[in-house]
Structures are given as structure tokens and as C-alpha cells.
Amino acid sequence: MAEAVFHPPRRKRRVFESYEAPFPVDVGGKDFRLCQAEIINNNVIVRNPEDIEQLYNKGYFGKGILSRSRPVFSISDPLLVAKWRGVNTNMPIITSQKYQRRVQWAKSVLQEQGLDDSSVTKILENYTKPFSRGDGAEPAGDSCTRGGPNPGNAELGRKPAGAQSPEGQNGGSEEGGDAAVDPGSGSRDQELGDSREMAGESCHRDPPVLRGCEVKQSPEQRAWQGMGSRECAPEYVLVQEEEEGSSCPEDDSTHAQENLVKKEVLVCRKNPFRIFEYLQLSLEEAFFLVYALGCLSIYYGEEPLSIVKLWEVFSEVKPDFKTTYMAYHYFRGKGWVPKVGLKYGTDLLLYRKGPPFYHASYSVIAELVDDNFEGSLRRPLSWMSLSGLNRTTANASKELMLCYLIRPSDMTAEEMSTPECMKRIKVQELIVTRWVSSRERSEQDEL
């Protein structure tokens, strides 16, 4: 058997992140934070924004359920953000069509609850009415998306950069001011009354991927939602709408048509259908955070699950969990960042430092065998399937690794029922490389 040659990881050309820490645990223990998660439909979900930031930034654990990897989902339209770049606000900016789509989603949810059409229409009209100057209502500063608009810097009624009005340069700002947000000395009671009207409706419900779960929330989980009013307070968005009365002039002269620009304003409204971004942990990542690092507590119902109970529950949810977790634990201990390798047909992908910095170096298949390398293999590979898997891995600039977890022949099933069995497990790594006859012969001739 030839000795494997180590190839250095391939660094990504564009890196937009800074490396913080390999694990969400401080050595000194001063800033130690115990994060909390819950099991929903056999998935481990983290809801608290601070816990999400802690777990993903320090070790790249999990992925956003609405994002490609890092949980940074936002309903804001990037094109509109660039178009209204002079507006100094951190509220999402969306089109009128997207907002009406969310109104329809909220309407469908209310109709499913048995409300008649007139009640649904009245509720949505009251909830989605725009905030105008002098109407006595104001968006609460902590209810908007982590801060409301700054009335001193934001001119929400103006036209986008580069647009000019036939009436003059300041015409759009003056006419659109009535529809703009101006949080003055409004009544907070009215704001709280509006939020109570939508209590239990779509804006306070779980996102579609989490609906249907009937597990009761623990007091700790309810406390997370109370912090920062993330799920109980309404979310405010800026909707780009055409200003009323802006129509084509009857004068069809060429000069008038060239200078004609539709007047657009940003109107502040409540989002009637909120979709929250959560962090989803794989079973291996969740158990590693609980067992190896001790920085995560997982709830199912009202009480946290113990380590032994999690080992049992995860093994029932995923029959090969013990095998894949042992491999995950081993490679995490070696300094790699393992991620799910489903898209390449393997169990794990190994990254150096994290996915934002390097491409995956290895695709790993884990197998649990005895001292004689025998056992009921999870994935018995034929020469044809092994060659195809190796070719797929090589085309993605990775190497295929077979990770054999060797357990003693005298290890009983009772010992395997707890994670303490890993103390007697040995690991053998095998890198599969395609043999090229012409290259091998030339190397032998040189020797």
C-alpha cells in the first residue's frame, strides 16, 4: 500500500470574513455562554440571535435555514437598497409586489383560522396601514429591525439617486413627505393595540419549515423570545410605492417624455407575515457542542435532555449516528471543520478553518468495523461505485477518504449505548487515489 501524500488545502480567492475562534468556548471561562436549542421535527434548531452568532462565528456550527450557509437572510431587496442608498436606515426595503404577496400569505393564514372575509380584511387594513406624519402612531425604536429610521438623516419621500422630476429637484421630497416615516411623539398605546390584533397570526407564527410542531416551549425558550422582542414585536419594512397622482402628462412632446420620471416614495408599513432565520445544527454538531464542549443545552418539551438521552434519541432518529459522530468527533479534534457531505455522496466534508476560507479538502466515508476490518458495512462499495465516487470527488478538487472506526471485538452493545465507548475506538484513515499507469511508470523509471 502506497503512502498517502498530503496536499495543502486550496484557499478561496475572495474572503470576506475574519477568523474568530475554532470553538465557541473561551479558555479563561470569563465570557462563557451556555447556548440553548430545541428539537423540532427531528431537527436541532437554535432561535436566539445571540446564540446563533456565537455558534456560527466561532467554529462555523450549523447553517441558516433560509440562507446558503451563514444565517444572514433578509427580505430586503438588494437592488432597492442600492437604489435608495442615501436613506440612512436599517429597515428592510422591498417592492410593493413583495409586500402584497406577504399580505396574501397572512390572509390565507387568517382564513384557515376560521375568520370571515370581512374580519380578515379589517384586520389586515388596520395592521398594514402606512405610518404618516401626524397620524399619532409611531414605529417603536426597538420593534423595527434592530432600530428604526433616523428622522434626521433619512429622507424616505425623495426619489432615488439620479432621478429628476419635471417640477424641480426638490419636488419629490416635498410631495412624498406625507407618506414618509417621521417617528415623532406618537402614542405607544396605539402601537401596542395594533400588535395585539395580530397576536397568534402569521407574523407571530413559526416559519413554514417549523409549522406543525406541537412541542410545548420551555420557560427558558419563552424567555429567549422575550429578549429583544424578536418574535412578539411587529417588524417594520419600507415599501417602494408610486406616489399617487403621478401619471403621464397629456403633452406628448418629445421634451416632456424625456424628462418624465415616475415619482416613487418609501412608505413604512408593518410586515404582516414574518419568516425568521434560525440556525439548524446537524445531529453530529449538536451532540459535539453538548458532549465535547458543554456549551449547548438541547430541550425537547420543557426539560433539557441529558447526554445519554441525546445519544439514544439521535441514534433512533439516525441509525448510523454513532458511526458518523465518532468520525465527526475525531476530525474536529484534529482541527478540521467537518460539514455534511451529502451533495458529494459522502458522510463528511473536511474544511481547514471553515468554509469561508478554504475549499473542502476531503470527502469522508465512515465505517464501523472490528479488529479484523470486518462488519456490516453501511455502504458496501463495489469497484464500479468506488471508481465513480472517486471520479466525482476528484472533479470537485477533493480527495476521497475512507475512515474506519475500529472497535474491539469484546465490546458489547451495552458499552455502545453511551458515548464513553469512544475511548476504546481506534481510527484508520485510507485515502483513495486513482492509479494512472503512465504516470506511475515514469516515476518508477526516474527512480
Side-chain angles (χ1 to χ4, degrees):
M1 182 182 296
E3 184 178 356
V5 179
F6 176 78
H7 299 284
R10 197 160 53 95
R11 187 175 181 85
K12 291 187 176 180
R13 284 182 287 182
R14 295 187 182 92
V15 179
F16 305 98
E17 300 184 15
S18 59
Y19 185 73
E20 291 192 18
F23 297 120
V25 176
D26 292 330
V27 179
K30 298 180 181 179
D31 299 327
F32 178 78
R33 177 184 180 87
L34 181 62
C35 302
Q36 298 180 357
E38 56 185 316
I39 298 179
I40 298 179
N41 295 337
N42 297 334
N43 296 308
V44 181
I45 301 295
V46 181
R47 299 194 180 198
N48 189 356
E50 296 181 1
D51 292 346
I52 292 175
E53 184 179 1
Q54 174 87 354
L55 296 178
Y56 190 85
N57 290 347
K58 297 183 178 180
Y60 299 98
F61 291 91
K63 69 174 296 294
I65 62 173
L66 302 175
S67 305
R68 183 176 180 180
S69 183
R70 173 178 288 276
V72 291
F73 171 78
S74 174
I75 65 174
S76 189
D77 191 336
L79 296 178
L80 292 184
V81 172
K83 183 178 179 180
W84 296 86
R85 58 184 178 273
V87 178
N88 187 12
T89 180
N90 54 3
M91 285 194 294
I93 305 177
I94 62 176
T95 61
S96 178
Q97 292 79 3
K98 289 186 177 180
Y99 186 79
Q100 292 302 323
R101 190 183 309 162
R102 281 167 171 75
V103 173
Q104 291 299 324
W105 291 344
K107 182 177 180 180
S108 301
V109 174
L110 293 177
Q111 290 175 345
E112 292 176 359
Q113 296 178 357
L115 298 178
D116 56 274
D117 292 341
S118 60
S119 300
V120 171
T121 303
K122 183 178 179 181
I123 291 175
L124 291 179
E125 286 180 353
N126 293 334
Y127 194 83
T128 60
K129 62 182 179 180
F131 289 89
S132 303
R133 297 185 181 184
D135 63 355
E138 63 170 354
D142 56 351
S143 299
C144 298
T145 310
R146 295 187 181 181
N150 187 346
N153 299 327
E155 296 180 359
L156 305 184
R158 68 173 181 81
K159 281 184 288 297
Q164 293 184 356
S165 170
E167 290 79 8
Q169 186 176 359
N170 299 326
S173 299
E174 295 174 357
E175 293 182 7
D178 293 338
V181 180
D182 186 13
S185 58
S187 172
R188 185 165 181 84
D189 295 337
Q190 180 175 353
E191 175 64 28
L192 295 176
D194 292 340
S195 63
R196 291 192 193 99
E197 286 184 1
M198 293 297 287
E201 297 171 13
S202 60
C203 61
H204 303 287
R205 296 169 66 91
D206 285 337
V209 294
L210 299 182
R211 286 179 186 168
C213 176
E214 298 181 356
V215 178
K216 296 181 179 179
Q217 294 182 344
S218 65
E220 291 80 3
Q221 295 165 1
R222 288 191 291 269
W224 310 342
Q225 298 179 1
M227 293 189 306
S229 301
R230 180 170 185 254
E231 295 191 12
C232 59
E235 178 188 36
Y236 292 89
V237 296
L238 298 176
V239 184
Q240 177 179 281
E241 300 177 356
E242 284 190 32
E243 187 178 5
E244 295 182 0
S246 61
S247 58
C248 296
E250 297 180 357
D251 184 10
D252 57 352
S253 62
T254 305
H255 181 72
Q257 292 293 339
E258 290 178 354
N259 293 335
L260 177 61
V261 177
K262 292 183 178 180
K263 300 177 184 178
E264 295 172 342
V265 293
L266 294 181
V267 181
C268 182
R269 299 177 185 270
K270 293 179 184 177
N271 184 9
F273 192 91
R274 299 186 64 181
I275 301 178
F276 296 97
E277 173 77 295
Y278 298 139
L279 185 72
Q280 180 177 355
L281 300 172
S282 67
L283 301 184
E284 293 80 10
E285 290 173 329
F287 193 83
F288 183 84
L289 292 169
V290 175
Y291 173 70
L293 302 183
C295 63
L296 182 69
S297 180
I298 301 178
Y299 283 78
Y300 183 79
E302 299 181 355
E303 296 182 359
L305 300 179
S306 63
I307 293 177
V308 177
K309 186 63 176 178
L310 283 174
W311 183 264
E312 177 185 350
V313 170
F314 288 170
S315 299
E316 293 179 358
V317 172
K318 186 177 180 181
D320 55 352
F321 167 76
K322 297 176 182 178
T323 302
T324 55
Y325 175 74
M326 291 178 187
Y328 182 93
H329 189 105
Y330 171 77
F331 289 114
R332 265 288 183 179
K334 291 292 185 180
W336 294 97
V337 178
K339 304 297 287 187
V340 177
L342 181 61
K343 59 183 176 181
Y344 293 108
T346 57
D347 298 320
L348 298 173
L349 294 176
L350 301 185
Y351 294 86
R352 180 174 182 257
K353 294 180 69 175
F357 307 101
Y358 292 89
H359 295 280
S361 300
Y362 299 99
S363 296
V364 181
I365 293 180
E367 293 287 0
L368 183 62
V369 297
D370 57 13
D371 294 337
N372 299 321
F373 281 82
E374 296 178 353
S376 57
L377 299 180
R378 299 170 45 249
R379 300 180 57 175
L381 297 173
S382 63
W383 283 111
M384 183 178 297
S385 60
L386 180 61
S387 176
L389 184 59
N390 187 38
R391 177 63 65 91
T392 302
T393 304
N395 289 342
S397 300
K398 298 171 179 51
E399 292 185 278
L400 180 62
M401 178 186 296
L402 303 180
C403 178
Y404 291 101
L405 304 162
I406 307 171
R407 68 174 185 178
S409 302
D410 59 347
M411 180 175 288
T412 62
E414 184 178 355
E415 292 182 78
M416 291 289 294
S417 62
T418 64
E420 295 298 314
C421 65
M422 289 189 294
K423 296 179 179 180
R424 301 184 60 190
I425 298 294
K426 298 180 180 180
V427 181
Q428 176 68 53
E429 304 168 8
L430 179 64
I431 297 178
V432 180
T433 305
R434 180 169 171 257
W435 186 78
V436 183
S437 58
S438 59
R439 185 175 60 191
E440 296 294 332
R441 289 195 185 99
S442 62
E443 291 180 356
Q444 290 295 330
D445 294 341
E446 293 176 358
L447 293 177

